[in-house]
Amino acid sequence: MATPTSGAALSAEEKKEFDEYDSCLYGFLKFEDSEGNGKKSLLEKGVAYYENVLKDHIKSVNAESDRDNLPYLDPSIYCHLGHLNLLLEQFPKALSAYQKFYNLQTEHWKNAPFLYGLGLVYYHHNSLSWAIKSFQQVLYVDPGFKRANEIHIRLGLMFKANGNYSASSKHFRLALNDSSESSLSKLEIRLNIAHLLEVQGEFKQAKEAYEQFVAEEGLSKSVKATALRQLGWLYHTVESFGDKVSRETRAIQFLQRSLELDPNGQTSYLLGRCFSSSGKVHDAFVWYRHSIDKSEANADTWCSIGVLYQQQNQPMDALQAYICAVQLDKSHQAAWTDLGVLYESCNQPTDALTCYQRAARNSKVHANANLAAKIKFLHHNLKNIPMQHFQTKPKTLPNIEEAWRLPIPAELTSRQNSGGLTSQPCGILSTGGSVMPPSMAQTQGFNTDRMEEEKKSRKRPSSENMEIPTTPPQPGFMSREQLNLLQLLASQPNLTPQQQQALRQLQHQFTQQQQMKINNPQAVVRPGQPGHSTSPPSSQHNSPGSSGSPGNVFGRPSPSSFEFLSSERLHGSSTSSFSGFPTFSNFTKSLDNFLQSQTPTPLSSPSAYSAHASSTSAAPFYSSSNTDVDFLPYSGKPRMPGQGQSGEQDQGQRLPGGVPLPLHGNLPPASNIPFNRGNGPVTPHRSAAALAATSANANASGITLPSAGPLHPTSISNTLPSDFIHNLRAANMSEQEISSLLSRPNITTSIAEDFITQFSRSKKAGDASQGALSMKPLTLSQSHIKNLLHSTSEGSGKMEQKDKQISAFNLQLSGKEIIDLSRGLGKNGFCLTNMLQDFGPPPSPAAPPSPPLPKDHLNPPTPSVYLESKRDAFSPELQQYCHSQPVVVIRGLAGALKLDLGLFSTKTLVEANSDHRVEVRAQKQQAPDENRDQLGKKVWKCESSRSHTSIAKYAQYQASSFQESLREEHDKARGQHKDSDSDSNSSTSSKKKKSKVIKFGTNVDLSDERKWRSQLHELTKLPAFTRVVSAGNLLSHVGHTILGMNTVQLYMKVPGSRTPGHQENNNFCSVNINIGPGDCEWFAVPDQYWGVIQSLCERHNINYLTGSWWPVLEDLYEEDVPVYRFIQKPGDLVWIGPGTVHWVQAVGWCNNIAWNVGPMTARQYQLALERYEWNKLQCYKSIVPMVHLSWNIARNISIVEPRMYELVKYVLLRSLRQIQMLIDFVEELGFEVKWQGRARDEAATYCDDCELEVFNILFVKEQDKKFVVHCQDCARKISPKLENFIVLNQYKLETLIEIYDNFVIHSSTPSASGSIC
């Protein structure tokens, strides 16, 4: 590493101290006292030191004439620089440094503190989706990470903000069980869990939880005040808690008690809401005033003030208050709706329609049916009313564009101009001749005349029109809204003269801004401008509800309105005060959704840590400059793994400070950026005909297995130039260094990439004048090779040492040798968790095949087979064909096999077990190719509500639905037809007919042989590869029941019943038979494209694994995703291949039966393992225990396929090593592993906290008089020394070694099942 020639210098002691500073200290360093000030000075000195190192390196690069002997720069400098800036809360600089490290260090994912720091930067900027990915990767690569509880707290907050309450609850409980130090106390975490109950509608449980806090002694004032506030708000909003008078009385009492403990503006606002609901207008105004004085006036406060003015028949004042609300939060649905109601009441329907449309556009969660009806009504009626009618009629209120530029209260102007809301000693003003209630003015004691004079000279900061600015914008820094408008206008082909003028003005201002950045880089960010990030984002939130009554404006506090939900400590504040949290619900203000609304544009400026060409420049090192020369190939565009230098994803948006934001992970952000096609192995797409000819043994590429023995230089010498190794030796490299270099995977590509990384292109004027690149041969010098070796050995930390320790493992070892080699490696608590590979990168969604399919190939014909006889059904060719296809329709199966499908008819089911439980999903009936919300917009989110009934009751509903349809058909035939909503099978009809809610009977369990013996026996007539139980079915070897997978489930349907999009659990295959009498329509996508669909779900704020989604076909076609679409007739069997994404809708009245199967193929096993690891990354439970299953496969099955054998053998090898490491850890703590054994058909064991599979070694702790199993990592978080834990094992180590040694590949010819001999 270069030594700085000037500037800050560090002593040896300071350098040693710096080694202890990383992202894990974020939020725990205090800078208030003298000791803290010293630490802060040291951090600043370290930043200056590293910056000088980088500057000196740039000078040496520019001064070096021998381009083959360039000095080396350790990429970890950028990582450490990012840590230091993070601790100093210099987030843009931290992000810039992290980004450089990300691009330079190929194995950055091994550095958990780096991933954690990157996640903290994303979290600070409200870029939630990327922060979630970073934090999940930390937990995956290092489950025992020091700050795992901090990660769980933040994940809990972010998932709650995103509406994923189950995931939020899981992470909060993991944080609650963690005994290590955290920024939130256990009481505060419990309070968050209680609030989760509230936002999910579990009001009774939430009330009981809050009451426990109120009754508990010794709580901090802030905790008890928050519990009292939420309890008061529950009494205000939940009608089941009593009559309105008594509820309001108790609500006011609780809120007043909360204010006594912790006066804050949010509680004052809620108290104003309660008084408003009780009809006490004066008191409501008083408390709204207090809310403003507490520096927390937000859109909700102004919206509620508008409601009060409207109730007092002061429309002009109400208008002004609503405008204040929507200018503070332009996505405030309630304010826009109430503003529309105001305009409608003043007989200005055009403005009302505009407001309603804005409200509908900003609907974040559920579309409002009343809002949709208002919009439709106004649209219809305004078409029939002449425009002159509105032009000649006097207006009660200014139109919306005029109102946008009206004067506003002085305190709002000053707070907006200062970048945040600050306390002002003034009250709530009115305009336009109307005055606020006299009693209110007297109470506040302010001079209205003076304030009126002041407000006349003020205009709103957003004085431009809502859509197009009518006045030239001032030179300087453009706001986000102006940038949005610039991109929108630039993308439109036909513009009006006014729009063209606005576009020219914005382009001119943008040019000035760019020039200003070049000439004065220090002026890139100014306090008060968008992008200034010295403090957390402002606390604003949206309010559900949209009526003119105060009770409906706010609904109940949104997750973000719950002040206790996130702490300043989470954002690194050094203060101990409890003053509220930044929120997440204002997604329009957050960077994450700002990116979603933009068309990505290439970044032209390098990051803050790019190298400067001129070392004598007076510009600060952090500034952007067009004269930058990258000594490493970084163009300023964020580039993620798998993306090329000029890939289509080399785009991104800037965070505050002009710093480009990297697209985190292998996925693009939830934006319009195309899906990454550069990651992972490229597999050519095959047509349906080509797929049909593919044998069942064709394996998808994916897992890279280690070689069977140690790699020797001579083993790959044939793949390199003949004189390559000779040149290495000529460079005076030792044999060990040569072996280390040659042992790298993909040696040729790796060396080429390192050369690209190590050497920059010359930008001398002489080179530029040549007009073409001069291709010169590269010569390997000793310094080059040593730099390459050095670069690959840096930045890996502890994991690099583990790589060396386990490099000796291969399949040639016996079980005893594996145990001997593993002994002692787990004493410090380290344990293997990845069943795919040793210390591999976190799993990522698969990249789609490249090149993309032509548009006319996106509706391929569905592979179909017509059976004429039983012999056809049992032919090996049918099995091989199904195993080679993503989806197959086998028609005529029931007739060929003489299956009695009547055993599964509704009538027979009622006769057999009428009281059997049925899960019911209430859904909106729609056309199969559409999914619309209540406003008629196409969406991905599939809404349904859950309940339960019996087979008899659902059969009654199914029959009545059918009879109703018959009556409608009869009336139609007699000419008495009226709009029907009982069937909706076409897009055109669905637009005309009113939607209807239907009930879908799903997940009917038919596993009990005593109840369903005849039905289950009938299914034994099926071919072996489709049976529920067979020797060739992997799921038959799990050893216990997995409901719906290795058991039969029944589905009872009426037209429109939907099974939303999904992949089967752990990517296993699926068999589905339509019992009839109606049809079903299917949609299916090959598994190679699941990553695209996952990205689209993320773009629509839906969790791919746990969410309910119905793809919009146009979106899939736009992303070049092929979709199979077909009809399943009664008696047809649909085979779903491993990993195939599919969704289904009933066309008629029918029943279906379905179950999963696991073909004994390498592809099935590999995809199951990949999903097992992906689920682990996503903190999602894999209901197929793959480790447990792998040991049963080795015990019970003779494998003949080499690839399948290797995959299973490596899982067993890793499992053996994991078991020995766990034993080492337990013995190191002085515990004895006690024998428990395992009962026959006992289910696999999962950790009670994280829900990961736990095999053999169980960490058991008694909780609530029950013995609960934990994994090693969760047990250590509960108690590092395992106090009060019992460690049990279920298998003797000798038994497992014997199974491992006896598991060998067999050379005999596979049977018809293709899996066993």
Side-chain angles (χ1 to χ4, degrees):
M1 185 174 68
T3 303
T5 58
S6 62
L10 297 178
S11 64
E13 183 179 351
E14 289 174 332
K15 289 181 180 180
K16 184 177 180 180
E17 187 175 355
F18 265 129
D19 293 338
E20 302 176 359
Y21 285 93
D22 63 13
S23 59
C24 294
L25 292 176
Y26 175 78
F28 294 90
L29 283 180
K30 308 300 180 184
F31 296 140
E32 297 84 14
D33 53 15
S34 57
E35 182 181 356
N37 288 330
K39 292 179 180 178
K40 184 175 182 180
S41 299
L42 182 62
L43 293 176
E44 293 171 343
K45 185 176 181 181
V47 171
Y49 171 79
Y50 282 127
E51 290 179 1
N52 285 330
V53 170
L54 296 177
K55 289 180 180 179
D56 291 344
H57 180 75
I58 297 166
K59 293 178 183 178
S60 61
V61 169
N62 293 333
E64 180 61 58
S65 58
D66 183 5
R67 310 307 293 179
D68 296 336
N69 194 28
L70 294 177
Y72 169 75
L73 181 69
D74 186 354
S76 63
I77 288 179
Y78 288 110
C79 182
H80 206 186
L81 189 55
H83 292 330
L84 298 183
N85 278 308
L86 174 67
L87 297 179
L88 291 170
E89 300 187 20
Q90 298 294 324
F91 296 101
K93 292 183 179 182
L95 177 58
S96 182
Y98 283 144
Q99 184 186 34
K100 289 291 287 185
F101 178 77
Y102 184 100
N103 288 306
L104 298 179
Q105 181 57 261
T106 56
E107 294 185 336
H108 59 269
W109 49 267
K110 289 187 176 181
N111 193 326
F114 158 71
L115 293 174
Y116 179 59
L118 187 62
L120 290 172
V121 174
Y122 289 153
Y123 180 86
H124 169 80
H125 289 293
N126 270 3
S127 187
L128 304 189
S129 61
W130 299 347
I132 289 172
K133 291 174 189 175
S134 292
F135 288 146
Q136 286 177 337
Q137 289 188 355
V138 175
L139 297 177
Y140 181 84
V141 301
D142 188 4
F145 184 63
K146 179 180 179 181
R147 297 300 181 198
N149 56 351
E150 290 292 293
I151 292 177
H152 288 305
I153 289 172
R154 287 172 171 83
L155 286 174
L157 293 170
M158 290 186 288
F159 279 125
K160 179 162 60 172
N162 286 340
N164 191 346
Y165 300 127
S166 59
S168 176
S169 177
K170 180 176 181 178
H171 285 288
F172 277 135
R173 294 191 184 281
L174 285 168
L176 187 64
N177 292 334
D178 197 327
S179 60
S180 58
E181 182 185 15
S182 67
S183 53
L184 292 186
S185 68
K186 301 305 179 186
L187 288 173
E188 293 168 345
I189 296 173
R190 282 175 48 202
L191 200 52
N192 276 280
I193 295 173
H195 183 252
L196 272 176
L197 296 172
E198 178 184 348
V199 297
Q200 292 180 86
E202 303 291 342
F203 299 125
K204 183 177 179 181
Q205 293 91 323
K207 173 175 168 288
E208 292 172 353
Y210 290 140
E211 287 174 343
Q212 290 179 4
F213 283 99
V214 173
E216 196 167 339
E217 298 294 336
L219 296 182
S220 66
K221 289 184 178 181
S222 57
V223 172
K224 181 165 283 191
T226 305
L228 285 166
R229 184 184 68 207
Q230 295 307 119
L231 191 57
W233 189 248
L234 276 179
Y235 273 101
H236 172 71
T237 55
V238 181
E239 296 180 357
S240 60
F241 287 176
D243 62 276
K244 183 177 180 180
V245 176
S246 61
R247 285 192 295 108
E248 293 295 350
T249 301
R250 297 207 65 183
I252 291 172
Q253 291 173 352
F254 283 126
L255 291 172
Q256 288 176 336
R257 288 175 59 188
S258 176
L259 282 171
E260 292 174 1
L261 295 172
D262 182 19
N264 65 77
Q266 180 66 19
T267 308
S268 299
Y269 166 72
L270 297 181
L271 190 56
R273 290 287 305 279
C274 291
F275 280 121
S276 176
S277 179
S278 301
K280 300 178 180 179
V281 177
H282 173 267
D283 292 332
F285 270 112
V286 170
W287 287 107
Y288 289 150
R289 154 68 189 275
H290 286 325
S291 176
I292 295 176
D293 288 345
K294 293 296 181 181
S295 304
E296 296 188 23
N298 54 29
D300 290 325
T301 306
W302 288 103
C303 184
S304 297
I305 291 171
V307 170
L308 285 182
Y309 276 130
Q310 190 171 352
Q311 290 176 338
Q312 296 301 308
N313 197 23
Q314 297 176 225
M316 193 65 193
D317 296 309
L319 172 68
Q320 184 185 29
Y322 291 142
I323 292 294
C324 290
V326 297
Q327 287 193 347
L328 277 170
D329 181 1
K330 293 181 175 61
S331 64
H332 200 285
Q333 183 188 7
W336 282 113
T337 304
D338 290 335
L339 186 55
V341 172
L342 177 64
Y343 273 121
E344 196 173 5
S345 66
C346 294
N347 208 9
Q348 294 178 227
T350 304
D351 294 311
L353 177 61
T354 301
C355 295
Y356 289 147
Q357 289 173 332
R358 292 297 293 263
R361 188 186 311 169
N362 294 309
S363 178
K364 292 293 187 294
V365 184
H366 300 288
N368 189 304
N370 294 331
L371 193 60
K374 283 179 176 291
I375 293 174
K376 184 177 180 180
F377 174 80
L378 289 175
H379 258 305
H380 176 74
N381 287 277
L382 286 176
K383 291 179 181 178
N384 303 324
I385 302 176
M387 185 58 64
Q388 294 80 0
H389 175 77
F390 299 106
Q391 293 175 346
T392 59
K393 192 170 184 179
K395 295 180 180 179
T396 305
L397 296 173
N399 62 37
I400 186 65
E401 292 188 2
E402 296 170 348
W404 200 258
R405 296 188 295 271
L406 287 176
I408 62 172
E411 71 275 9
L412 185 60
T413 304
S414 61
R415 290 172 188 177
Q416 286 186 332
N417 288 341
S418 63
L421 297 176
T422 58
S423 180
Q424 294 288 335
C426 53
I428 303 170
L429 301 180
S430 59
T431 61
S434 298
V435 296
M436 82 169 50
S439 58
M440 180 69 178
Q442 294 169 5
T443 302
Q444 305 310 326
F446 57 83
N447 189 328
T448 56
D449 293 335
R450 177 177 59 84
M451 300 304 294
E452 285 289 339
E453 289 296 324
E454 289 185 8
K455 75 175 182 182
K456 289 179 182 179
S457 62
R458 293 187 175 99
K459 295 292 182 181
R460 289 184 174 82
S462 304
S463 60
E464 70 275 5
N465 280 348
M466 294 171 59
E467 301 298 337
I468 302 174
T470 57
T471 57
Q474 297 297 321
F477 290 89
M478 302 177 69
S479 66
R480 287 181 178 176
E481 289 74 15
Q482 289 173 312
L483 290 173
N484 294 355
L485 186 57
L486 173 59
Q487 293 181 352
L488 176 64
L489 293 176
S491 63
Q492 299 298 322
N494 300 317
L495 299 177
T496 65
Q498 183 186 15
Q499 291 172 330
Q500 291 175 357
Q501 180 184 2
L503 177 59
R504 288 192 295 270
Q505 294 169 350
L506 291 172
Q507 288 173 336
H508 176 69
Q509 186 175 358
F510 181 78
T511 303
Q512 287 183 317
Q513 175 174 318
Q514 295 303 310
Q515 188 65 33
M516 186 181 301
K517 288 183 180 181
I518 296 173
N519 297 334
N520 185 15
Q522 288 178 309
V524 172
V525 181
R526 298 179 302 172
Q529 290 290 330
H532 183 63
S533 60
T534 58
S535 61
S538 61
S539 178
Q540 297 178 2
H541 59 273
N542 299 331
S543 300
S546 56
S547 79
S549 64
N552 292 329
V553 175
F554 192 89
R556 67 174 186 270
S558 65
S560 57
S561 71
F562 187 54
E563 214 173 81
F564 187 77
L565 301 187
S566 70
S567 170
E568 289 186 1
R569 284 168 284 172
L570 298 181
H571 284 268
S573 174
S574 58
T575 63
S576 59
S577 63
F578 209 73
S579 58
F581 302 22
T583 65
F584 296 104
S585 63
N586 189 359
F587 290 137
T588 303
K589 299 274 184 192
S590 74
L591 177 66
D592 197 40
N593 275 23
F594 170 67
L595 295 183
Q596 292 185 23
S597 64
Q598 304 304 304
T599 302
T601 56
L603 297 174
S604 58
S605 302
S607 71
Y609 285 116
S610 295
H612 284 219
S614 175
S615 60
T616 60
S617 173
F621 186 75
Y622 283 82
S623 66
S624 301
S625 172
N626 290 338
T627 61
D628 289 350
V629 176
D630 288 333
F631 60 92
L632 293 167
Y634 176 62
S635 62
K637 300 176 183 178
R639 186 174 67 256
M640 308 310 286
Q643 294 175 337
Q645 288 285 352
S646 58
E648 63 181 321
Q649 287 231 359
D650 285 354
Q651 301 174 359
Q653 294 290 343
R654 291 186 178 275
L655 280 178
V659 181
L661 182 66
L663 308 181
H664 178 70
N666 293 319
L667 292 177
S671 67
N672 296 325
I673 300 176
F675 189 82
N676 172 19
R677 293 189 172 87
N679 181 34
V682 177
T683 57
H685 178 79
R686 296 170 291 175
S687 64
L691 286 171
T694 304
S695 68
N697 294 328
N699 296 320
S701 62
I703 303 176
T704 301
L705 293 173
S707 59
L711 187 63
H712 193 271
T714 59
S715 65
I716 59 168
S717 60
N718 293 332
T719 66
L720 298 171
S722 58
D723 59 343
F724 183 83
I725 297 179
H726 174 74
N727 289 341
L728 298 181
R729 294 192 176 100
N732 295 324
M733 290 186 62
S734 66
E735 291 297 322
Q736 182 179 2
E737 290 174 327
I738 295 174
S739 177
S740 175
L741 177 64
L742 297 184
S743 64
R744 294 165 60 182
N746 301 323
I747 178 67
T748 307
T749 304
S750 180
I751 291 178
E753 289 175 349
D754 282 334
F755 269 109
I756 293 173
T757 304
Q758 289 294 326
F759 309 115
S760 64
R761 296 174 298 177
S762 175
K763 293 187 180 180
K764 295 181 179 180
D767 296 336
S769 63
Q770 294 178 2
L773 291 175
S774 176
M775 303 302 294
K776 298 180 180 180
L778 290 174
T779 302
L780 277 173
S781 67
Q782 182 179 7
S783 62
H784 292 168
I785 300 299
K786 292 187 179 295
N787 283 344
L788 291 177
L789 289 174
H790 184 59
S791 66
T792 58
S793 64
E794 293 292 331
S796 301
K798 297 179 181 179
M799 287 191 178
E800 189 70 21
Q801 299 175 4
K802 301 300 179 184
D803 284 334
K804 296 177 181 178
Q805 291 175 337
I806 65 174
S807 60
F809 290 96
N810 59 73
L811 294 183
Q812 307 302 320
L813 299 176
S814 67
K816 186 176 184 306
E817 290 172 328
I818 293 172
I819 294 297
D820 291 339
L821 287 173
S822 302
R823 187 169 284 116
L825 296 181
K827 288 184 178 181
N828 62 351
F830 173 78
C831 189
L832 296 172
T833 57
N834 190 334
M835 292 294 113
L836 279 175
Q837 52 190 321
D838 295 324
F839 305 108
S844 60
S850 181
L853 288 174
K855 294 297 183 182
D856 57 352
H857 286 61
L858 298 182
N859 287 292
T862 304
S864 302
V865 177
Y866 294 84
L867 300 183
E868 296 180 354
S869 65
K870 183 176 180 180
R871 181 178 179 181
D872 293 339
F874 283 85
S875 66
E877 292 77 13
L878 176 62
Q879 174 183 344
Q880 293 176 5
Y881 181 70
C882 289
H883 287 178
S884 67
Q885 301 297 321
V887 60
V888 179
V889 185
I890 304 178
R891 303 195 185 276
L893 177 74
L897 298 179
K898 296 181 173 55
L899 291 176
D900 183 6
L901 299 183
L903 291 171
F904 299 94
S905 67
T906 300
K907 181 175 183 255
T908 305
L909 295 172
V910 172
E911 293 172 352
N913 293 284
S914 60
D915 295 331
H916 198 68
R917 184 183 176 92
V918 178
E919 179 184 333
V920 177
R921 289 283 181 175
Q923 303 171 332
K924 185 171 69 172
Q925 189 180 51
Q926 303 186 70
D929 56 353
E930 287 189 353
N931 188 51
R932 297 180 182 271
D933 61 14
Q934 293 179 337
L935 298 177
K937 295 186 296 186
K938 287 189 176 182
V939 294
W940 277 61
K941 188 174 181 62
C942 192
E943 301 285 355
S944 68
S945 59
R946 183 180 178 185
S947 61
H948 292 87
T949 187
S950 64
I951 286 181
K953 291 181 179 179
Y954 188 84
Q956 187 177 8
Y957 164 75
Q958 201 176 35
S960 62
S961 172
F962 181 71
Q963 292 170 357
E964 180 183 354
S965 177
L966 290 179
R967 283 195 301 270
E968 291 174 352
E969 290 294 330
H970 181 69
D971 293 341
K972 181 179 179 181
R974 295 176 56 185
Q976 301 176 358
H977 175 65
K978 57 183 178 180
D979 287 344
S980 169
D981 55 7
S982 63
D983 194 4
S984 179
N985 297 320
S986 67
S987 300
T988 55
S989 64
S990 68
K991 294 178 182 179
K992 297 178 181 178
K993 300 173 184 177
K994 185 176 66 173
S995 60
K996 173 184 178 181
V997 176
I998 59 171
K999 296 179 181 179
F1000 170 28
T1002 182
N1003 298 336
V1004 183
D1005 175 30
L1006 302 186
S1007 63
D1008 193 337
E1009 293 186 4
R1010 295 171 298 177
K1011 292 182 177 181
W1012 311 105
R1013 181 178 299 276
S1014 58
Q1015 284 81 4
L1016 297 179
H1017 177 73
E1018 190 69 16
L1019 297 180
T1020 59
K1021 297 179 181 179
L1022 293 170
F1025 77 97
T1026 64
R1027 290 177 191 164
V1028 182
V1029 180
S1030 71
N1033 182 356
L1034 288 174
L1035 293 174
S1036 297
H1037 298 278
V1038 173
H1040 62 271
T1041 296
I1042 305 177
L1043 291 179
M1045 293 202 70
N1046 54 13
T1047 65
V1048 181
Q1049 281 192 333
L1050 171 78
Y1051 304 89
M1052 308 176 71
K1053 305 178 181 179
V1054 298
S1057 298
R1058 286 185 166 182
T1059 301
H1062 66 287
Q1063 290 174 292
E1064 297 296 324
N1065 288 302
N1066 286 89
N1067 282 337
F1068 277 90
C1069 297
S1070 174
V1071 173
N1072 186 295
I1073 300 176
N1074 185 7
I1075 306 301
D1079 299 340
C1080 288
E1081 185 164 4
W1082 286 67
F1083 303 83
V1085 172
D1087 71 283
Q1088 296 92 332
Y1089 295 90
W1090 80 267
V1092 184
I1093 298 179
Q1094 191 270 346
S1095 177
L1096 289 169
C1097 286
E1098 188 178 63
R1099 192 178 304 176
H1100 290 85
N1101 196 31
I1102 302 173
N1103 187 287
Y1104 178 78
L1105 293 176
T1106 62
S1108 181
W1109 41 272
W1110 190 267
V1112 176
L1113 294 180
E1114 290 81 359
D1115 293 347
L1116 298 181
Y1117 296 145
E1118 185 178 347
E1119 297 290 337
D1120 300 320
V1121 176
V1123 180
Y1124 295 100
R1125 184 174 181 178
F1126 59 93
I1127 296 294
Q1128 180 191 27
K1129 299 286 186 180
D1132 289 350
L1133 183 148
V1134 174
W1135 170 271
I1136 295 295
T1140 297
V1141 186
H1142 56 286
W1143 54 104
V1144 190
Q1145 176 160 322
V1147 177
W1149 291 262
C1150 61
N1151 292 347
N1152 289 66
I1153 53 173
W1155 58 92
N1156 292 105
V1157 294
M1160 206 75 64
T1161 64
R1163 183 169 183 269
Q1164 172 64 89
Y1165 185 81
Q1166 174 179 317
L1167 289 179
L1169 272 181
E1170 289 176 352
R1171 182 48 52 91
Y1172 182 81
E1173 292 300 318
W1174 170 257
N1175 290 346
K1176 194 183 298 181
L1177 174 70
Q1178 300 294 316
C1179 297
Y1180 181 77
K1181 182 179 181 180
S1182 291
I1183 65 173
V1184 180
M1186 291 303 298
V1187 177
H1188 179 87
L1189 174 61
S1190 299
W1191 282 102
N1192 282 348
I1193 291 173
R1195 188 206 312 263
N1196 301 332
I1197 303 174
S1198 299
I1199 301 295
V1200 298
E1201 186 181 349
R1203 176 67 172 168
M1204 175 78 171
Y1205 166 77
E1206 290 180 348
L1207 290 169
V1208 176
K1209 192 79 170 180
Y1210 270 109
V1211 170
L1212 302 183
L1213 186 151
R1214 294 184 182 94
S1215 179
L1216 273 181
R1217 284 160 42 194
Q1218 182 184 39
I1219 291 170
Q1220 182 57 49
M1221 290 178 183
L1222 289 174
I1223 294 175
D1224 290 341
F1225 171 68
V1226 172
E1227 291 178 348
E1228 183 70 13
L1229 293 179
F1231 279 77
E1232 178 186 357
V1233 180
K1234 298 183 179 180
W1235 168 255
Q1236 184 198 32
R1238 185 177 177 84
R1240 182 178 177 83
D1241 298 331
E1242 181 181 346
T1245 308
Y1246 289 85
C1247 176
D1248 188 67
D1249 290 340
C1250 66
E1251 297 185 308
L1252 291 183
E1253 180 187 2
V1254 182
F1255 180 76
N1256 192 26
I1257 306 297
L1258 313 180
F1259 296 84
V1260 182
K1261 189 175 189 294
E1262 185 177 4
Q1263 296 177 2
D1264 299 328
K1265 299 182 180 180
K1266 294 181 181 180
F1267 289 98
V1268 179
V1269 175
H1270 300 274
C1271 66
Q1272 180 199 22
D1273 291 308
C1274 291
R1276 291 179 64 193
K1277 290 171 185 175
I1278 294 173
S1279 174
K1281 300 297 182 181
L1282 300 184
E1283 288 92 347
N1284 301 320
F1285 273 90
I1286 303 172
V1287 184
L1288 307 175
N1289 73 314
Q1290 296 186 309
Y1291 298 94
K1292 296 290 186 183
L1293 195 55
E1294 296 77 9
T1295 303
L1296 297 177
I1297 292 175
E1298 181 182 359
I1299 295 174
Y1300 181 84
D1301 292 338
N1302 292 336
F1303 181 60
V1304 295
I1305 190 169
H1306 290 252
S1307 58
S1308 57
T1309 304
S1311 66
S1313 67
S1315 57
I1316 59 175
C1317 55

